[in-house]
Amino acid sequence: MGFERYVLVTGGAGFIGSHLVRYLVRRYRDWGIVVLDALTYAGNLENLSDVLDAPNCIFVHGDIRDSVVVEGLFRRYGFWGVFHVAAESHVDRSIYDPVKFAEVNVVGTVVLLSVAMWWWRRHSDRFHRFLLVSTDEVYGSLGEEGVFTEESPYNPRSPYAASKAGGDMFAHAFFHTYGFPVVVTHSTNNFGPYQFPEKLIPLTILHFAEGKPVPVYGTGENVRDWIWVEDHVRALDVVFQRGEPGGVYHISAHNEWRNIDVVHAVGKLVDAYLGRSEGTYRRWIRFVADRPGHDFRYALRAERIRGLGWRPQVSFLEGLKRTVEWYLTHREWVDRVRSGAYRQYLKRHYSALLGSSS
Ligand code: NAD
Ligand code: TYD
């Protein structure tokens, strides 16, 4: 033991979670950062390989729905706060398995909230915040105009969005019913290293580099608002430290792009990186059947968090360049994710991890 305070990060072996853990472990060396992750297909301990051995990083393999495990962690570490990042996160998968999304994103969130509230009721002076990481998708779809604010009504349209909305509703209910100090953040689409290559940007980078078809759903005119993942993670820290209990905070770089324009931007960077002649990538673009219920546009206004002093630091094109370079220089990571070999990492390293966390 021996750290000034402990925080729990769920889903810390996933894309955003691993960036958050890296940030917290390095920034707060006198805090113990306890990572709880079930290591589903999206969880990869290799995402944390550069911080797993840090004295203040403690990895626990477990499921947020398992109240016995969660309660045991609260008893052992007496958490000062929770960053709840874990979720089933891919819209396309939610279309085929909505039950899984309800179980993890709704039930899992309620289990965590319940155990954390039990702890907070006994130790309110030693519990700061429960931060729930949510998404812009709970608001539904925008047309060409307009933008969602923190006051916009929920209108989820995909099973993923519905399940995230369900978890959010319980968090708000815990604040209003019990006074439990919850903060909820909604971010726009993240991009950067370590994103599972089923999502648009990593998939596009890899397929262009490998000369494989890049599927663009529908006409490619759908719009997403993109944020560099490390900017998101800094924002989570700001909201955790200074957000009002019960507060809702949007996290956006106000950076809207049509999907087809993202695909072209990625293609240009991949061609340049590989020294190909300009426009080579174009031959691999394929317009395919649209995603069922495909939301047309998301965009968030995020003034409230700017009032707390946060600003995005990395422009879209700079972040995209870094992301392209990362995927094209981390082929072993990509190969292990694609082959499933990354799942062996736990077995190889778990005894060492247990050693460092006991
Ligand atoms: P991800 O799919 O990359 O990672 C999810 C992590 O959660 C994985 O490590 C997985 O193993 C873990 N997990 C899943 N089920 C679990 C369970 N039952 N118990 C414990 N751990 C479990 O997801 P991501 O893209 O990093 O998204 C993280 C969070 O941010 C999610 O809550 C998501 O809704 C939200 N979000 C994501 C984006 C985005 O663009 N990726 C945008 C806004 C909000
Ligand atoms: P995605 O990365 O799955 O994130 P989300 O659905 O959470 O926004 O998709 C981003 C956008 O790209 C979305 O409008 C769907 C589209 N898309 C494609 O056109 N082709 C693809 O292969 C994928 C994965 C997504």
Side-chain angles (χ1 to χ4, degrees):
M1 304 295 276
F3 290 103
E4 186 185 311
R5 52 179 62 136
Y6 288 83
V7 293
L8 176 64
V9 180
T10 68
F15 165 47
I16 297 170
S18 64
H19 286 277
L20 176 64
V21 169
R22 190 171 299 105
Y23 176 89
L24 295 174
V25 163
R26 291 180 177 161
R27 184 174 169 108
Y28 300 111
R29 291 183 189 274
D30 49 356
W31 294 10
I33 311 301
V34 179
V35 180
L36 175 64
D37 198 298
L39 297 178
T40 67
Y41 82 95
N44 182 351
L45 267 185
E46 282 189 60
N47 296 355
L48 291 172
S49 55
D50 52 349
V51 284
L52 269 180
D53 290 334
N56 64 332
C57 183
I58 300 150
F59 180 80
V60 179
H61 184 203
D63 197 305
I64 55 167
R65 292 166 291 178
D66 188 338
S67 60
V68 175
V69 166
V70 177
E71 187 183 319
L73 291 176
F74 269 87
R75 284 187 193 279
R76 178 167 183 181
Y77 295 108
F79 294 119
W80 186 62
V82 177
F83 291 87
H84 178 28
V85 187
E88 283 293 333
S89 69
H90 192 42
V91 174
D92 291 331
R93 287 180 190 255
S94 80
I95 293 168
Y96 297 101
D97 193 358
V99 173
K100 165 78 79 53
F101 281 68
E103 286 172 357
V104 175
N105 298 353
V106 185
V107 176
T109 298
V110 180
V111 169
L112 265 184
L113 284 164
S114 301
V115 176
M117 189 182 68
W118 157 82
W119 181 258
W120 163 77
R121 282 188 152 163
R122 281 155 188 78
H123 307 280
S124 58
D125 52 327
R126 285 194 274 135
F127 189 89
H128 177 62
R129 295 285 184 277
F130 182 110
L131 184 150
L132 172 59
V133 175
S134 188
T135 168
D136 53 7
E137 305 196 22
V138 297
Y139 298 115
S141 183
L142 289 164
E144 299 280 355
E145 299 292 320
V147 64
F148 294 122
T149 70
E150 279 101 348
E151 282 71 42
S152 294
Y154 277 33
N155 183 21
R157 292 154 38 106
S158 71
Y160 164 69
S163 69
K164 289 295 291 182
D168 295 3
M169 291 300 167
F170 273 95
H172 291 303
F174 271 56
F175 172 71
H176 290 289
T177 308
Y178 313 109
F180 183 53
V182 166
V183 280
V184 179
T185 59
H186 298 265
S187 114
T188 57
N189 282 60
N190 285 228
F191 71 104
Y194 298 110
Q195 188 167 29
F196 199 82
E198 64 187 351
K199 304 269 167 82
L200 179 69
I201 289 181
L203 183 132
T204 301
I205 294 169
L206 293 170
H207 282 208
F208 278 144
E210 294 161 349
K212 291 185 189 159
V214 169
V216 178
Y217 299 164
T219 60
E221 279 162 52
N222 302 59
V223 174
R224 296 292 181 267
D225 186 350
W226 293 95
I227 185 166
W228 174 243
V229 61
E230 291 176 353
D231 281 332
H232 180 196
V233 157
R234 276 190 306 107
L236 294 178
D237 183 32
V238 167
V239 174
F240 179 79
Q241 301 276 357
R242 301 209 288 281
E244 289 289 322
V248 174
Y249 295 85
H250 284 179
I251 303 173
S252 163
H254 300 152
N255 173 50
E256 294 181 50
W257 284 69
R258 296 188 312 165
N259 291 341
I260 189 64
D261 297 331
V262 172
V263 167
H264 283 296
V266 169
K268 285 179 191 153
L269 288 166
V270 171
D271 280 353
Y273 185 86
L274 296 176
R276 290 172 173 163
S277 56
E278 231 179 279
T280 305
Y281 71 90
R282 287 173 182 270
R283 69 188 70 165
W284 295 299
I285 295 178
R286 299 282 183 282
F287 291 93
V288 300
D290 211 354
R291 172 187 276 171
H294 195 177
D295 286 342
F296 176 66
R297 176 173 161 254
Y298 305 134
L300 294 183
R301 177 172 300 146
E303 299 310 327
R304 192 172 286 167
I305 189 170
R306 282 170 171 72
L308 298 181
W310 174 89
R311 300 280 182 285
Q313 290 179 348
V314 176
S315 73
F316 186 56
L317 289 178
E318 170 57 26
L320 214 48
K321 188 161 172 279
R322 290 187 201 174
T323 308
V324 167
E325 286 173 10
W326 190 88
Y327 277 92
L328 299 186
T329 51
H330 287 74
R331 295 313 300 248
E332 288 184 358
W333 181 91
V334 172
D335 290 344
R336 282 195 288 267
V337 165
R338 283 172 164 176
S339 70
Y342 70 110
R343 306 182 76 84
Q344 300 305 314
Y345 195 90
L346 177 69
K347 289 192 189 126
R348 277 191 275 119
H349 293 265
Y350 200 46
S351 49
L353 287 171
L354 284 175
S356 67
S357 63
S358 57

